[in-house]
Amino acid sequence: MNRNVPPSPTAKQEIYGLVERLERAHEVNRAAINLVPSENRISPLVERSMRLDFYNRYFFNDDLSADFWWYRGGESVGDIQSSGTAALARLAGADHVNVRPVSGMTAMLVVLLGLGGSAGSPVVSVAAASGGHYATAALLERIGRQSRAIGQHAGHIDTDALRKVLTSEEVPLVYLDLQNTLHELDVRQVVDVVRECSPGTRVHVDCSHTLGLILGGAHANPLDAGADSMGGSTHKSFPGPQKGVLFTRDAQVAEDLRGAQYHSISSHHFAATLGLSVAAAEYEVFGQAYAAKVLRNAQALGTALERHGFEPIKERSVITRTHQLWLSVGTDEQATDFSAALASAGLRANLLPDIPGATGLAMRLGVNEVTFEGADEQSMAELADIFALVRDGHIDQAVKMREALKYGFGEPYYFQDASDPR
């Protein structure tokens, strides 16, 4: 290729066209109401931090050592990562915070490699059919460990099955990866069984979905319940960039995690890490009120949907005690059609198999993002009205109501711009 030849006008138009498409799609997404529980938006201040030169820079000098600037470019802002790590430590009540994972899945990999024993070791996790993460068992097998998946119901692990595994094998790790749940996980119950049957076994809580609820004080802190470590992704109920984080109060656990992380993660996406620092600082201001509102909104939406004739999937007669709620919406075809109809009205929902208590596809909803944007219990009632309009075929009315609702939310749980006086 002759690099001295200028690009053709056609090529330039095509590239500009791609960017214009992205911008239009961005505006459509911003106007939509997103009810996917595994997603969240980032605040305007976090978004600003993600657009800077640091997006393409490596940063390895976590300790800000004067003689370890082997990669230049982060000297002037490395202390911002440090302050963000300190904010996360305060929120979690943790002595050690690892912000190197780039996602919840890489956080999972680090924990399984660092705490999961040697090749061939059995590791306990939560069965996918009862709400555990779909990938854990397969990942364990791929890295040479053995999966011992056990069930749970309504936040309670099958302790009989857990005792059986712990007393019959040397288990280095119990990995509590509950991703689909309407109830808070009873970590203390698990820790008590582990300490009784196998004191040397470590307990890690993958709280990717409920991290925002935990750091906001709406759910109990697993570290307070005796877990050796916890962590996960930072973009679900916690409103941060797509990243991962790990917490512990145990220096040896922190060292083991860092050792595994060193050989499994190179770039930790520096701009996203700086964005996480900003998100943590904002969460110290807004997190407690936001997390409490998430729980109220989830219950309010489920109750309002039930009044409209929808069928929430309940556990122990409870609609939800987390940011999630689940709907049974008929056959797989009916579920797909309803999800598409909601999308045409500007509402984003999540269809999933393996929802406990459901057959086939169920609709998994989350109120974390709309709550972050300022929605309240009255907003949830109006959302249920929109669901009913879509179900009954009144898409145009649903669009108008969604537009009015979206732009009528109250104060969000973040600083809106640099001049925000709050």
Side-chain angles (χ1 to χ4, degrees):
M1 177 179 177
N2 186 348
R3 298 185 182 275
N4 294 319
V5 176
S8 69
T10 301
K12 182 177 180 180
Q13 289 171 2
E14 289 177 351
I15 293 168
Y16 272 77
L18 290 176
V19 175
E20 288 169 0
R21 281 183 55 202
L22 287 170
E23 290 173 344
R24 288 196 299 270
H26 169 79
E27 294 304 321
V28 170
N29 278 4
R30 276 291 183 254
I33 290 178
N34 186 40
L35 297 169
V36 177
S38 54
E39 297 177 352
N40 213 322
R41 65 165 292 172
I42 54 177
S43 76
L45 296 183
V46 173
E47 188 173 359
R48 283 173 59 184
S49 70
M50 299 279 286
R51 297 199 303 261
L52 305 177
D53 178 77
F54 307 108
Y55 189 87
N56 271 16
R57 305 302 162 206
Y58 284 102
F59 182 79
F60 296 107
N61 195 359
D62 293 345
D63 297 326
L64 305 181
S65 174
D67 57 356
F68 192 61
W69 290 112
W70 294 0
Y71 282 75
R72 295 286 177 174
E75 299 99 317
S76 62
V77 296
D79 63 306
I80 295 178
Q81 174 176 302
S82 299
S83 67
T85 302
L88 289 165
R90 290 191 295 270
L91 287 165
D95 297 313
H96 308 277
V97 181
N98 190 319
V99 294
R100 303 300 299 191
V102 298
S103 69
M105 284 288 290
T106 54
M108 175 191 289
L109 178 62
V110 166
V111 174
L112 297 183
L113 290 173
L115 307 183
S118 57
S121 296
V123 173
V124 173
S125 63
V126 180
S130 67
H133 196 281
Y134 76 93
T136 312
L139 182 58
L140 282 166
E141 298 294 341
R142 285 179 179 272
I143 63 172
R145 275 62 171 182
Q146 300 182 52
S147 171
R148 299 291 185 265
I150 60 176
Q152 72 84 37
H153 180 68
H156 296 281
I157 298 295
D158 183 344
T159 52
D160 289 337
L162 178 59
R163 281 192 176 89
K164 183 176 180 180
V165 174
L166 293 175
T167 55
S168 61
E169 302 180 88
E170 290 188 13
V171 177
L173 176 66
V174 172
Y175 188 90
L176 299 175
D177 53 330
L178 187 58
Q179 70 162 359
N180 296 321
T181 182
L182 303 176
H183 289 260
E184 182 175 1
L185 179 64
D186 189 343
V187 177
R188 174 65 68 183
Q189 175 190 42
V190 175
V191 169
D192 287 347
V193 171
V194 170
R195 300 299 177 244
E196 170 196 338
C197 299
S198 181
T201 298
R202 286 163 167 167
V203 177
H204 176 82
V205 179
D206 185 333
C207 48
S208 291
H209 265 275
T210 58
L211 182 63
L213 303 179
I214 291 167
L215 299 189
H219 276 187
N221 188 326
L223 300 180
D224 291 340
D228 296 283
S229 54
M230 70 174 188
S233 59
T234 59
H235 52 268
K236 295 181 172 63
S237 61
F238 186 86
Q242 293 216 5
K243 275 286 293 175
V245 65
L246 296 169
F247 302 95
T248 184
R249 295 172 181 170
D250 187 309
Q252 185 60 55
V253 169
E255 183 177 334
D256 291 345
L257 292 174
R258 188 173 179 85
Q261 157 252 300
Y262 182 78
H263 292 103
S264 57
I265 301 170
S266 177
S267 172
H268 72 322
H269 298 184
F270 190 31
T273 308
L274 296 174
L276 179 59
S277 296
V278 177
E282 286 190 295
Y283 211 71
E284 288 197 287
V285 177
F286 298 104
Q288 188 171 356
Y290 159 77
K293 179 66 80 174
V294 165
L295 296 187
R296 293 197 296 272
N297 279 351
Q299 182 63 44
L301 179 58
T303 301
L305 286 169
E306 191 170 35
R307 283 199 300 266
H308 276 291
F310 291 96
E311 298 181 37
I313 300 170
K314 301 179 182 180
E315 289 183 329
R316 295 186 177 177
S317 302
V318 171
I319 291 177
T320 185
R321 288 179 179 150
T322 71
H323 65 300
Q324 296 184 22
L325 56 140
W326 309 330
L327 294 182
S328 176
V329 282
T331 65
D332 286 1
E333 182 178 3
Q334 289 170 325
T336 301
D337 289 345
F338 185 50
S339 175
L342 287 171
S344 70
L347 275 74
R348 308 285 170 78
N350 181 204
L351 295 181
L352 275 187
D354 293 330
I355 290 292
T359 301
L361 291 175
M363 185 165 283
R364 188 179 67 158
L365 305 175
V367 302
N368 36 306
E369 182 166 331
V370 290
T371 302
F372 189 56
E373 294 177 319
D376 60 12
E377 289 95 325
Q378 178 58 38
S379 307
M380 299 301 105
E382 294 178 37
L383 265 177
D385 293 342
I386 298 172
F387 267 66
L389 286 172
V390 172
R391 177 195 59 196
D392 299 338
H394 305 301
I395 302 298
D396 290 343
Q397 288 178 254
V399 169
K400 292 177 182 177
M401 191 171 182
R402 184 264 303 165
E403 290 174 344
L405 175 60
K406 174 81 174 189
Y407 295 107
F409 287 158
E411 292 290 334
Y413 290 95
Y414 52 80
F415 293 113
Q416 298 184 64
D417 55 51
S419 63
D420 192 332
R422 292 178 298 165

